[in-house]
Amino acid sequence: MKAHVKGVHLKIKTVICTEDGCTRKFTSKQHMQSHVSAVHHGVKNIVCTEEGCSQRFSIPQNMATHIKAVHRGIQDMMCTEDGCTQKFFRKEHMQKHVNTIHLKTKDVACEHKGCLQLFSDAGNMRKHVKFVHLKVKDVPCTQEGCAQMFSGGGNMRHHVKAVH
């Protein structure tokens, strides 16, 4: 019962991923093992049960969410902020929306040494590291015959408007 309250209600994450370089924390050893299997080892044994769909998943909950969102089009998570009518497929997407749009929370620090930039979520921070610090250019120009590569779709669109 204590473990249930700690993990489910208080969301206290004390179990650290066992993979080198990964700092993710989990509420239980089982959740950490599922993470390692899916994220670090790429194991996705569960196939979507909808006809004609071959999407694979690491856990049944992800398949259920996929079916609800992709095949049924159900958005049943409403924004919790007064006056906002935004709907979402997943609770995590709604929480991200509240944090970034309504609360304007920026509590994820850049992992690159010496950079003090803060972000609303880890995804935005990873994009920042990829394009700003690692200078990855993996977006090709959409115009035929142009070999230019860019560090994001916005940069490529700016190029197309300015040059082509």
Side-chain angles (χ1 to χ4, degrees):
M1 173 102 142
K2 273 187 187 178
H4 168 80
V5 171
K6 186 175 89 172
V8 175
H9 300 289
L10 300 177
K11 304 228 185 305
I12 296 172
K13 299 178 179 183
T14 57
V15 180
I16 301 170
C17 180
T18 55
E19 294 291 306
D20 285 342
C22 185
T23 57
R24 285 256 340 243
K25 291 182 181 179
F26 302 88
T27 56
S28 72
K29 186 176 179 180
Q30 181 184 356
H31 288 150
M32 183 271 294
Q33 289 170 334
S34 293
H35 160 80
V36 169
S37 177
V39 174
H40 298 292
H41 300 151
V43 176
K44 293 184 178 186
N45 293 329
I46 302 163
V47 181
C48 181
T49 54
E50 292 292 305
E51 189 176 329
C53 184
S54 59
Q55 184 77 34
R56 299 178 73 82
F57 306 91
S58 55
I59 57 173
Q61 293 94 321
N62 289 351
M63 180 181 68
T65 300
H66 161 81
I67 289 171
K68 185 175 83 172
V70 175
H71 299 292
R72 308 279 187 277
I74 299 170
Q75 290 181 305
D76 57 359
M77 295 303 307
M78 292 286 298
C79 179
T80 55
E81 294 294 305
D82 288 338
C84 186
T85 58
Q86 197 74 8
K87 291 182 181 180
F88 303 90
F89 293 114
R90 298 178 65 122
K91 184 178 180 180
E92 304 88 62
H93 296 161
M94 184 269 295
Q95 288 171 327
K96 180 180 176 182
H97 162 82
V98 169
N99 286 340
T100 58
I101 303 300
H102 300 293
L103 302 177
K104 306 222 184 301
T105 305
K106 289 190 175 186
D107 56 2
V108 178
C110 179
E111 294 174 343
H112 197 270
K113 188 177 179 178
C115 183
L116 302 175
Q117 187 124 6
L118 295 172
F119 301 90
S120 57
D121 61 65
N124 287 338
M125 183 270 297
R126 284 191 296 273
K127 285 179 196 168
H128 163 79
V129 169
K130 179 180 176 182
F131 297 130
V132 175
H133 299 298
L134 302 177
K135 302 197 185 318
V136 172
K137 293 185 177 186
D138 59 357
V139 178
C141 179
T142 56
Q143 299 298 306
E144 194 173 321
C146 183
Q148 286 270 84
M149 297 291 285
F150 302 91
S151 60
N155 292 338
M156 183 272 296
R157 286 187 292 278
H158 181 267
H159 159 80
V160 169
K161 284 181 181 175
V163 176
H164 297 290

